[in-house]
Amino acid sequence: MKIETESSGVVWKVLKQAGDTVEADESILLLELMKMEIPVVAPRAGRIERVLVDEGDMVEEDQVVAILADD
Amino acid sequence: MTDKDNSGEWSAELDELDRRRELALRMGGEQALEKMRSKGRMNARERIGVLLDAGSFRELGRITGRGKYDDNGDLVDLEPVNAIIGTGRIDARKVAVSADDFSVAAGSSEGTISDKWIYIERLALAHRMPLVRLVDSAGGSVRLIRQMDTTKIPGYDHWNSTDLVDHVPVVGIGLGSCAGLGAIKVLASNFSVMVRDQAQVFAAGPPVVKQAYGVDITKEELGGAKLHRKSALVHNEAEDERDAFDQARRFLSYMPRNAWRLPEVIECDDDRERADDWLAHAVPHDKRKVYDPRPILRSVFDRDSVFEIGAKQGRSIITALARLDGVSVGVLAGDPRSAGAAMTSTSAYKMERHIRLCSTFGLPIIHFVDQPGNATGLEAERAGTLLGALRVGEAVERARVPWISIIVRRVFGMAGAMHAPRVFPALNYTFAWPSARWGSIPIEGGVAAAHRQEIAEAADPDARREELEAWYHKLGSPFRTAERFGVVDIIDPRETRSVLCDWVEDAREVLVTDRGVC
């Protein structure tokens, strides 16, 4: 499952790595824009298959930033 | 009419009328209808049946079409045109309907009579009722040139689409590939909705694009729902056709019959003084943390009354219709989870179109303000972000409805300045929560600029900068502004519904006396 951003911004903190498990609504990474911390959260519980961005990367709205394993 | 008996002098003609009406119901024929069914699509008459209150459709011009006659000049067959028009009711309220019958010539111009579909548009305006267009048309067709034996200058001199959207609620529903005229029929509306993975809206489809640019692109890529999240041309997306019709019905429930009237006030048993406790702490104390405004809106407006428009577009701003004490209202709310709520060119457009909608149809506006300012940087400048801001500013000052602002968090910059009509004699009825913070420029940037030398020369520059920022932040407390009556009042967030319901009574009085209507 593709995790897309709802907002543009700069990747401020990557909180999860490939292999980590997440709960529903848990933050995978934090963007920063206009002095706000904007979380990108997991829509459901699962295992992170890949994180596609690094801290400092600029991202756009609807950009795929992580993959949640389908199992 | 039930239990008809055609016997008498005119029985042949009455029988012919019945027969012609029957023939028209076959639409494009069983094969074409089956093809639509196999793709999971309803046909035009089924769609009208689902959209309208059961049994309320009064068709006009059902027997238009191409008649086939035998050597005696008697009717053998009737191929209907692909425009189906009439009036009906939605929640017992009168509406006009115009549907493309895709089973006849793919809904295209070679299978229609333009006088017919233009007529229902003229009727909607002349009889002052909403219009719903069910658009499923392949648009223009070169075969029409052969049919007519000539070309014509494009356009329709009797189609008053501009007058329509200024005076009656017009809904455009995209149900298939809507190109050219089809696209305009969806977009020249006050509210548009398209079915995800089924409808597309574009100036021209893939074959024309391929011809012009040599580019291969799919219908979905060129004009599907996902693209229109960026263009913001089509307001809403629907899961399927029934969802699209539900949304059309829901939208119309907030609207008056026409712009000469105001929306109906409905019965409301939701307490005007209802105060949900959690609102007091809804905005995070840490000013870097975001919050979701939607639960706040659902709490302060009448229960289950919030209908969001354009959720996936220009996401820095939420636009919605809602009710307060049964009165239809328009809602704006900054959403910090998207770009920190900064105004972008798309969010500015979304805000402007919502203000115009509410102003046209007499819906007072409530703005939950969280606005850090216009998006900055090269991309934002290239996108003409400030043009959007200018247009919003104009739309706000031109709004012909009462307005209240509840400042929830940030109000900065030119974008913040245009949170409400300000220019005297506008009342500027503005309240703030204790979490509100405002200024011309953000304190952090401002301190770095104004105290640059002092900070640079300090023994610990970072510490000195933080010290200065902390002092300015104390000055930035909204209570200090309230001391000088710089805002009407600071309120406890839990008092918000009470304040709004009190105000909406006065807003209604202004609209009724202003427009001389009920």
Side-chain angles (χ1 to χ4, degrees):
Chain A
M1 180 184 194
K2 294 178 181 166
I3 311 291
E4 294 176 352
T5 57
E6 291 274 331
S7 174
S8 55
V10 175
V11 178
W12 180 48
K13 281 191 184 154
V14 176
L15 302 170
K16 297 283 175 182
Q17 300 298 338
D20 290 347
T21 51
V22 280
E23 301 295 319
D25 292 332
E26 194 181 348
S27 296
I28 297 170
L29 51 94
L30 295 175
L31 304 178
E32 188 181 24
L33 192 64
M34 299 300 265
K35 304 189 193 340
M36 305 302 294
E37 292 171 20
I38 303 171
V40 177
V41 303
R44 58 165 172 81
R47 188 176 50 83
I48 303 283
E49 198 174 284
R50 280 171 66 196
V51 175
L52 301 168
V53 293
D54 293 313
E55 287 175 12
D57 288 349
M58 269 275 351
V59 295
E60 285 176 0
E61 203 180 71
D62 295 330
Q63 185 170 330
V64 180
V65 291
I67 312 285
L68 204 59
D70 281 330
D71 45 71
Chain B
M1 233 173 86
T2 48
D3 301 326
K4 263 191 348 161
D5 175 7
N6 287 350
S7 49
E9 287 184 302
W10 288 94
S11 61
E13 287 80 2
L14 289 170
D15 285 345
E16 182 174 339
L17 177 59
D18 288 343
R19 184 159 171 245
R20 284 175 178 268
R21 284 176 170 175
E22 269 306 304
L23 289 169
L25 289 180
R26 294 173 318 160
M27 292 177 276
E30 196 38 49
Q31 214 180 359
L33 292 173
E34 175 51 36
K35 202 169 171 192
M36 286 183 77
R37 238 185 330 258
S38 69
K39 291 187 171 157
R41 299 186 187 198
M42 288 193 255
N43 65 52
R45 291 183 182 280
E46 285 168 339
R47 287 166 174 167
I48 292 169
V50 171
L51 172 73
L52 299 177
D53 295 347
S56 71
F57 185 44
R58 276 185 172 271
E59 189 170 356
L60 294 171
R62 187 194 285 187
I63 56 176
T64 48
R66 262 180 225 106
K68 292 206 182 80
Y69 299 86
D70 63 20
D71 292 335
N72 293 329
D74 294 318
L75 183 76
V76 163
D77 202 357
L78 179 68
E79 192 187 273
V81 295
N82 56 27
I84 300 178
I85 66 169
T87 61
R89 292 184 187 273
I90 285 181
D91 296 330
R93 289 187 297 270
K94 206 74 179 286
V95 299
V97 178
S98 178
D100 295 327
D101 180 356
F102 190 80
S103 71
V104 177
S108 76
S109 60
E110 55 157 324
T112 199
I113 294 173
S114 57
D115 282 349
K116 187 178 177 188
W117 65 258
I118 290 173
Y119 193 77
I120 195 67
E121 306 254 336
R122 292 176 55 216
L123 183 151
L125 183 60
H127 287 181
R128 304 189 175 180
M129 68 176 81
L131 171 70
V132 182
R133 299 189 190 113
L134 306 177
V135 188
D136 193 358
S137 164
S141 163
V142 292
R143 288 202 208 105
L144 188 61
I145 301 172
R146 235 169 58 181
Q147 240 177 52
M148 287 169 51
D149 214 25
T150 181
T151 51
K152 76 172 183 85
I153 297 173
Y156 300 92
D157 292 344
H158 292 95
W159 187 26
N160 50 3
S161 54
T162 302
D163 263 343
L164 271 159
V165 293
D166 283 346
H167 293 102
V168 296
V170 178
V171 178
I173 306 180
L175 294 157
S177 273
C178 308
L181 175 64
I184 300 298
K185 280 186 175 182
V186 173
L187 301 175
S189 58
N190 304 105
F191 174 69
S192 55
V193 54
M194 63 189 292
V195 178
R196 212 179 291 138
D197 301 322
Q198 176 174 314
Q200 299 85 30
V201 175
F202 33 45
V208 174
V209 170
K210 171 86 182 180
Q211 181 74 292
Y213 302 103
V215 164
D216 279 306
I217 188 167
T218 67
K219 282 190 303 194
E220 267 304 301
E221 287 166 335
L222 191 57
K226 206 155 183 202
L227 176 127
H228 287 299
R229 292 178 189 178
K230 295 290 176 240
S231 77
L233 286 184
V234 181
H235 297 66
N236 276 18
E237 302 169 19
E239 262 173 45
D240 52 35
E241 296 192 15
R242 280 177 192 273
D243 181 23
F245 302 141
D246 280 341
Q247 291 191 44
R249 292 173 68 105
R250 186 126 193 235
F251 168 78
L252 288 172
S253 74
Y254 296 90
M255 293 290 129
R257 174 167 164 147
N258 53 59
W260 288 272
R261 290 184 172 272
L262 291 172
E264 221 181 288
V265 181
I266 65 170
E267 284 274 325
C268 178
D269 62 4
D270 193 1
D271 185 7
R272 291 157 63 115
E273 302 301 319
R274 177 169 54 76
D276 292 336
D277 229 27
W278 63 267
L279 282 174
H281 309 283
V283 175
H285 202 272
D286 179 346
K287 56 188 199 302
R288 282 175 59 88
K289 296 270 192 285
V290 299
Y291 62 95
D292 183 354
R294 290 171 178 84
I296 297 174
L297 301 180
R298 286 195 292 270
S299 169
V300 302
F301 292 99
D302 293 352
R303 249 182 264 108
D304 299 324
S305 75
V306 179
F307 174 61
E308 194 171 347
I309 294 178
K312 305 261 187 208
Q313 350 172 285
R315 291 174 211 168
S316 316
I317 193 90
I318 297 169
T319 54
L321 302 174
R323 290 192 181 86
L324 282 171
D325 207 19
V327 176
S328 292
V329 295
V331 180
L332 302 165
D335 186 353
R337 297 172 315 148
S338 178
M343 186 178 282
T344 63
S345 58
T346 315
S347 76
Y349 167 67
K350 183 178 160 183
M351 198 168 156
E352 184 208 336
R353 85 177 169 201
H354 199 61
I355 294 168
R356 278 192 281 115
L357 171 72
C358 297
S359 186
T360 300
F361 294 108
L363 278 73
I365 292 173
I366 298 101
H367 187 185
F368 280 85
V369 188
D370 189 353
Q371 178 56 265
N374 281 111
T376 54
L378 188 57
E379 278 313 306
E381 302 298 347
R382 277 209 181 109
T385 299
L386 284 179
L387 174 61
L390 282 172
R391 291 177 57 121
V392 169
E394 286 173 8
V396 169
E397 288 298 333
R398 286 182 182 143
R400 292 173 49 228
V401 290
W403 189 300
I404 180 172
S405 282
I406 309 280
I407 300 174
V408 164
R409 218 188 207 170
R410 300 192 285 181
V411 199
F412 285 92
M414 292 312 299
M418 50 189 66
H419 72 86
R422 308 285 295 275
V423 179
F424 187 87
L427 192 59
N428 194 5
Y429 198 54
T430 298
F431 293 81
W433 287 8
S435 43
R437 285 293 178 281
W438 38 62
S440 324
I441 52 173
I443 283 172
E444 288 75 15
V447 162
H451 295 269
R452 195 166 30 95
Q453 202 171 345
E454 184 189 335
I455 290 168
E457 290 170 359
D460 184 350
D462 277 340
R464 183 58 189 144
R465 185 181 43 76
E466 277 173 20
E467 227 172 23
L468 285 164
E469 284 171 6
W471 182 66
Y472 274 101
H473 276 299
K474 276 271 151 63
L475 289 184
S477 157
F479 294 113
R480 293 199 187 220
T481 311
E483 282 175 10
R484 290 154 183 73
F485 200 58
V487 66
V488 172
D489 224 339
I490 311 275
I491 59 169
D492 182 316
R494 291 167 290 196
E495 293 164 350
T496 303
R497 177 171 167 77
S498 173
V499 166
L500 291 179
C501 286
D502 174 71
W503 163 80
V504 86
E505 189 184 332
D506 302 335
R508 189 75 187 180
E509 176 66 15
V510 170
L511 287 168
V512 166
T513 48
D514 226 11
R515 299 181 185 210
V517 294
C518 45

